Each structure stands twice: as structure tokens, then as C-alpha cells.
């Protein structure tokens, strides 16, 4: 979004016009090129307002939103879609989440465990009945950590895999 000298680039101006946190603007712009404009806009609208999806399974929540089409979500998706060149692509919510929060890509700590380690180093746990229990990798949209606790709790995530993690989180690889 900026040059090495701190000057705003054309991409930075485009991100500013989106009117969202820079992470979400990046997810919208880069996600649209990969998964399609509408699919990226739908996920970014959820990331911007995490009250839209009540359960942990972001993909199940997205399906419900697509079916029910609540006006608040629909209006935001339409607004975001207008800000990006229209493209088609594969519907991959986990990739859009990972673009916004690559440090939250998480891998199960041990087989059968509900505990995951995010790329940023924080341990998080899937709550029972999340619908994501068999996933080795997840892209965490929202996680919280209570004071005094060493690990966080996943509030919203989408199933991912190592290939997606390596692609979306390439800047984190060492």
C-alpha cells in the first residue's frame, strides 16, 4: 500500500477507497482475484461484522446468509462488490480469511486434539460441537482469549489445508 519511502501507491489508494481495515481491504482485493469478486465480498462482510455468523463454522454461516440474505449483509456485499473489478473464481472462504489474517492460520497440535497452534504462535481451542472437529488446518476468523488463560478459543473459522496455508501465509514461511 506504500512505497519504501512511505508514499501511498495506487493500490494503497484503492484500499483506502474500500473503507475497511487494511487487512480486510487486502483480503477483498486479493481474494477477488482468486475466488471471485462476490465470494470475496461475502466473506469480507462477515469478517467486518462477526455478529452475522453465530456459530464457529464460518462456511456453514456463509451458506445460511446466502440462503436468508439479511438486508444488512446483502447491502454490504453489494457495496464491496462495486469497489472491485468483477471476476469469477472458486468459492474458497478459508482463503479470504487467511488473506486477512495469515497469522491465524492454525494446525492441529496432535491427532484428535481440539487444540491448534496459530502461525502467530498462539494456541487456540475449538469448542465442542463446532462442526470443524476433524480439520487438521483451519483459517481462524475470530479468536478470543480470556485474561489469565494461556490459550484462546476459536469463535469463527473455516477448514483449510496445508496448501492453502502455504499460499496465503507465504510471507510467514521460514
Amino acid at each position: 500500500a506504500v512505497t519504501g519511502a512511505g508514499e501511498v501507491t495506487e493500490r494503497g489508494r484503492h484500499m483506502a477507497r474500500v473503507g475497511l481495515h487494511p487487512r480486510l481491504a487486502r483480503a477483498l482485493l486479493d481474494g477477488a482475484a482468486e475466488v471471485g469478486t462476490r465470494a470475496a465480498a461475502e466473506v469480507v462482510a462477515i469478517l467486518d461484522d462477526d455478529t452475522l455468523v453465530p456459530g464457529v463454522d464460518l462456511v456453514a454461516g456463509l451458506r445460511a446468509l446466502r440462503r436468508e440474505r439479511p438486508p444488512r449483509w446483502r447491502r454490504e456485499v453489494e457495496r464491496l462488490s462495486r469497489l472491485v473489478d468483477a471476476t469469477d473464481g472458486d468459492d474458497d472462504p478459508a482463503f479470504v480469511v487467511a488473506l486477512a489474517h495469515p497469522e491465524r492460520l492454525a494446525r492441529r497440535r496432535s491427532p484428535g486434539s481440539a487444540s491448534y497452534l496459530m502461525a502467530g504462535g498462539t494456541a487456540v481451542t475449538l469448542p465442542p460441537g463446532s462442526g470443524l472437529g476433524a480439520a487438521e488446518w483451519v483459517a481462524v476468523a475470530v479468536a478470543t482469549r480470556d485474561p489469565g488463560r494461556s490459550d484462546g478459543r476459536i469463535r469463527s473459522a473455516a477448514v483449510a489445508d496445508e496448501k492453502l496455508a502455504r499460499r496465503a501465509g507465504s510471507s510467514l514461511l521460514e
Side-chain angles (χ1 to χ4, degrees):
V2 295
T3 66
E7 297 172 5
V8 179
T9 64
E10 183 56 39
R11 177 181 170 80
R13 284 189 278 285
H14 193 180
M15 290 173 69
R17 285 191 298 269
V18 170
L20 296 173
H21 188 284
R23 288 175 172 268
L24 299 181
R26 185 259 175 145
L28 176 66
L29 298 178
D30 293 350
E34 291 282 328
V35 304
T37 299
R38 182 148 192 99
E42 289 173 342
V43 175
V44 168
I46 292 169
L47 294 174
D48 191 42
D49 182 357
D50 66 3
T51 65
L52 290 166
V53 176
V56 174
D57 187 343
L58 186 136
V59 174
L62 178 58
R63 280 194 301 266
L65 288 170
R66 286 174 174 165
R67 192 174 47 252
E68 297 163 8
R69 300 183 46 77
R72 183 176 85 207
W73 177 73
R74 186 176 31 90
R75 280 192 303 272
E76 182 64 357
V77 169
E78 290 168 2
R79 182 187 80 80
L80 294 174
S81 294
R82 286 191 301 270
L83 296 171
V84 182
D85 292 333
T87 59
D88 292 325
D90 297 327
D91 191 11
D92 191 353
F95 185 70
V96 179
V97 170
L99 287 174
H101 303 290
E103 76 286 359
R104 295 186 197 162
L105 285 159
R107 185 176 186 186
R108 183 184 304 274
R109 295 180 95 175
S110 61
S113 171
S115 181
Y116 289 76
L117 184 61
M118 294 194 293
T122 302
V124 289
T125 304
L126 268 176
S130 68
L132 304 175
E136 182 176 351
W137 289 85
V138 291
V140 179
V142 180
T144 56
R145 188 171 68 191
D146 294 331
R149 299 227 6 141
S150 61
D151 61 338
R153 180 179 172 102
I154 297 173
R155 289 189 37 229
S156 179
V159 174
D161 59 26
E162 184 175 358
K163 182 178 175 185
L164 180 146
R166 288 182 175 280
R167 195 173 83 196
S170 62
S171 64
L172 303 175
L173 294 174
E174 292 184 18

